[in-house]
Amino acid sequence: MQRVEVTGSRIRQVDLETSQPIQVMNQEQIQKSGLITVGDVLNNLSSAGSPDFSKGGSLTSNRENGGQYINLRNLGSNRLLVLVDGKRWTQTVDGYTDMSTIPASMIERIEVLKDGASSIYGSDAIAGVVNIILKKSMEGGQLSLYTGRNQEGDGKNKDFSLTYGAVGEKSSVMFGLSHTEQGVVWPAARGITSTSYGPGHPTAGLGGGPWGRIAPINPLNGEADTELREDENGNPLNAGRFFNRVINHTGTYDGVGTSASSRDPNSYHDYVGANDDKYNSTQDMMLVMPNKLDTLFVKGEISLPLDMTFRSTAMYSQRSSTAQIAGYPLQSTTQSTFPVYIDKDSYYNPYGNQVAGAGLGQDLFFARRTIEVPRVTENENRTLHVDGTLSGDFELRGLPWNWSAGWNHSKVSGTTVGTGNVNLPNLKRALGPSFMNASGVVQCGTPDAPLGLTECVPFDIVGGPSASTPEALAYIMSTGQASYGSTITSMTADVGGEVFTLPAGAVGFAAGVEHREVKGYDRPGQFEQSGYSTDLAGNPTYGRYTVKEAYAELNVPVLKGQPFAELLTFNLASRYSDYSNFGNTTNSKISFMYKPVKDLLTRGTWAEGFRAPTLGDTFGGGQQSFDEFLDPCDTRFGEAARDPAVQARCVAMGTNATYRQKDQAGQPITNTGGTQGLTAFMSGAGNTFLEPETAVTKTLGFVYSPSFLPGFSGSLDWYNIRVKNRITGISAEYVANECYINGSADFCSVIKRDPVTGQISALSRGNANLGEMEAEGFDIALSYRLPRTQYGQFTIRNETSYVDTLRTRSSADSEWNNYAGEYLTNRVKSNTNLDWSLGNWSATWGMRYYSPVKDQCWDAEEGIECNMPNAKTTWGTGANKLGSLVYHDLSVGYKTAWDGRVLVGVNNFLNKKPRIVYNTQASAASVDADMPLDRFFYVRYSQSF
């Protein structure tokens, strides 16, 4: 029998049963899922948690947005190693592997190793390994066509692939090309997603409106002067000079209407947060972002003298994705380092010199959303992979050995182009001095020093959409650009074989060396770096490191065919890694496989693991980010409302006893979901002092295949993964909670509050080695192929994962935060499939189960959507428990007499509706955009020739 290499071991062996749990999915199973991308297929695995980057995360500003990433064991996608044909695949500068760059049509099978494997593969293999095995050869060709869409007619998916191969006496070659599209979903298509927080709260979450809001300028901070200010003795400072007004207009929060004249002071009313003066930004945002993937693929091998074989694979993929969000919520202090006000000499200033009289005018603070031009980001991602391996077989003392030497090059590069942001220097000129010239045209400058009509276009910003002109919008808008890329190049040499033979079998050995270079960059456009745009300012990232590695693996059969020891085997492995940027590390593993009887296999592993800091972790330049967060100091929805100690810390750092967090419309927040920050925070700055994460993985399980029940197999595996020295990108809410709830002075030092309003005006968050992470649970797998009957062949399969613990803590003496059972971390996730075949017909029924979860309350104090008001959660006190979800999928296939196959299916055919969640990753609405929105219909036709 042929000796083969199984994921998780470098030793070729005949027995495919291993001491590590491996799940295998073949091409037929992929097609029956009705899904067309590798990311969607793997995210449906029971052991996969919610994606790190949701396809509904249109507000996400990093380069990963638009891709698909696998969050195995809920440990994070950057703790999973992805291989293609056993070789490392591309990674972004932040260590994420985009699964959507691998065409599903080129795959023979996917092997998922649910165990730590750093001793075999090196860094990143903490949560496990996904090894995608591409088709090796083909005689003839295959054409596949697919189309699908949601019941509402959106989310249209397409897939086309053509593969052709030829096999000769000593060589083979295979070509392939594919095109995949995933269509956009807009929130307005469904009532449940048409507003931020669902039908029950249609006006909650409304943001800053498109109608101009004006106020005097507070000289202390440049913000709007909208409230009475007093000195330390209680004397009024701005009595009679403060106001907060918005222009009169028709229409409501849909942005449709006409404004009054912006020059008339009587055209305004007091702004009190009325819904008509706000805006439903959800209507302009994508609920599910679209993407396209085009791939060219060639693979071949040739036999050479001396029992040698040369194999090579080349693949080029180009993915394009689009994200759209609402127009910019512009205000005078959008960029605190470059404030822009309505000049007192502007023609459109209702309190300016041209209206109030010479010398009586004043500059004005303004706020208004530019809904005329939504913000759109186009991300074009290119992946190139080329590898070549020379291998051979030989005998040593009559025992089989093999060797290989290879070169592996994987490169990802891309560009982003963003529109809908504002050029602040141009805006400042457009809102600067202006006048009406003799021709009745408003012109920049003054009558004595006019600016040419082609140099500057005045902007009636307060008048809203009905007053703006295409010329003014074109003048103030900017186009942002950025480029990014990363490259992994490695050279490897491996040797393996049987050292000698024991009574229980051959002692297997494998060893090898690897030299790997990793380099990457992320370059925002120079204008975006300057901070003179409303686009998020960022600094460039450049990084490079090299690593030299050597490993050895030994497989020792101890017993075989003995009473109560049908089989006992131990496997030992160790890998030494020397990194140019932080030093060296050694990681080892020991595992066993024991069969007391033929029907029962027990297995277990103890393994060390590590994850090296990524290029972004170490060399990241940092970028501004408008973070969504709940301020714990909010006295209505924050922890300060329930914990006097938190309230005391907040007051000591700049709030007051009645402090309320404000949204971008200037109003107090209305629920525990918090709001987007009023100013951009700095995030993602690199930390050159980072050390690698270290991990210990322990697994123990059994596989039962009873001889009295042929076709049945069942397994149960326990796992425990403990990560120390955890590298994490800290969220704004985490920083605020650590400061005010846990009293950490280190985190408090990076927070600044406005001395007048108490709002958080600056917050810096980056990457740090922050404490520990632990995941523990069980995997259950059941499979039964029933005896064939006149009614056909039936097979039932079930994969179930139970998460007992998923917890983190920021230091050795701090409290653990347990996420298990909270939204995005289901305790139980289970997939069941019943397959049937009879002649040319086949069918599959699938059931996906997700256990109940705890979500954030809408209002814990009032008990609104809060059935667990006293529950302790990672976000504070109070939770709303949501019931379980069950989705049913059905497909039917037929093989034609001309080597064709038709597959028709519907996922979620019982039309389970999405549930409202307030802890969602989706940007547009409070639903999970990665789950079914309604029924999804599809059809695939495959033709062999």
Side-chain angles (χ1 to χ4, degrees), residues 192-211:
I192 198 170
T193 59
S194 60
T195 57
S196 297
Y197 295 107
H201 310 281
T203 60
L206 296 176
W211 310 107

Side-chain angles (χ1 to χ4, degrees), residues 820-878:
E822 294 183 357
Y823 190 68
L824 302 177
T825 312
N826 292 275
R827 283 196 179 273
V828 180
K829 186 178 178 182
S830 180
N831 296 323
T832 301
N833 289 281
L834 176 63
D835 294 322
W836 167 82
S837 62
L838 178 64
N840 292 338
W841 290 93
S842 63
T844 297
W845 165 77
M847 183 181 73
R848 291 173 281 157
Y849 171 82
Y850 301 84
S851 62
V853 292
K854 290 182 287 187
D855 186 30
Q856 288 184 327
C857 294
W858 178 261
D859 188 334
E861 185 172 322
E862 296 293 330
I864 301 174
E865 293 178 65
C866 190
N867 51 30
M868 302 176 68
N870 299 317
K872 296 297 182 182
T873 65
T874 57
W875 56 78
T877 304

